[in-house]
Every structure is written in structure tokens, then in C-alpha cells.
Amino acid sequence: MNVDSIQNGFVIDHIRAGYGMRLYELLGLDDRDVSIAIIKNVQSKKLGKKDIIKIDADIPVDLDVIGYVDPDATINIIKDGKLVEKRVIGMPEKLVNVIKCKNPRCITSTEQELDHIFKLTDKNNKVYRCAYCETKASK
Ligand code: ZN
């Protein structure tokens, strides 16, 4: 894969250094049979160092997951070799089935069919809490 010549896909850019792999995991990219490149510790004027993920395939990508891991990350959408859209993700208000509640007494640990829902309760400190038991999410 030539990482510079994506035809149809995405470049997730400006990921804080060290968060690329976590994002890769949470996006479920490991299970995808497509060309993906993770570039770590790229020099960046803005961030010092950053991670970049390039996905050379037009697959659905959950923007909420990206916003959760790093709200300052940007996504570049590439179609037919051209950049068609570039945007900053921002912090999602709600996360559905992105992370799981760690509280063993939470209803989501016994009721398997329930969605795992977390809500942004403190924007300044990026705190998400379980919608059922209010346990704080840990990254
Ligand atoms: Zn919970």
C-alpha cells in the first residue's frame, strides 16, 4: 500500500501521539480486511508529535469513537484520489457501544442485550459516565 495515494478512504490526522493504536482497536479496524496504515510519532508543528491512521477503503467509520479518543483529531475523506472533506471531530455527547462499563454491578454486565451508553457529563475534563449507573469511564 502506498500510504500517500489513497483513492477512496480516510486519513485520520492530528491524533495525539500514543492514541493511534487505541483508536485502531476501538474502531475495530483489526477485524477489517482492508489496507490500513498507522503512522506513529510523526513530527507536527501543532502537536509536536502525532499519530496518523490511513484507511484505503470506503468503510463505515464511527466518528464518535474518534471524537472520544481525541476530539482534536481531524478526518480527511478522500474520494477518487481527491480530498473531498476535512473536519475536526469534536467531543460526542453520547457514546453507544464504544466502551463498556467497568462496574460489575451495572445492569449492562448482566443484561447482555443492552446497549452500552455513556454520556458526556463534564466537557472541560472530558468525563463520560455510564448512562445506567453513572460510573466514570476510564480510557
Ligand atoms: Zn454502568
Side-chain angles (χ1 to χ4, degrees), residues 65-127:
V65 176
I66 303 171
Y68 169 64
V69 174
D70 187 352
D72 299 320
T74 55
I75 186 160
N76 303 311
I77 300 165
I78 295 153
K79 291 213 158 67
D80 299 321
K82 291 195 186 97
L83 179 67
V84 293
E85 196 182 340
K86 179 174 186 160
R87 60 173 141 137
V88 179
I89 312 287
M91 242 181 286
E93 292 291 329
K94 196 166 105 173
L95 298 166
V96 180
N97 295 326
V98 175
I99 45 173
K100 286 184 176 166
C101 184
K102 296 223 165 71
N103 175 6
R105 289 191 302 273
C106 181
I107 190 166
T108 57
S109 67
T110 49
E111 303 287 324
Q112 302 292 332
E113 71 277 11
L114 277 179
D115 283 333
H116 293 267
I117 301 171
F118 279 78
K119 288 182 173 161
L120 180 62
T121 54
D122 181 349
K123 202 163 185 173
N124 293 329
N125 296 308
K126 289 185 14 179
V127 174

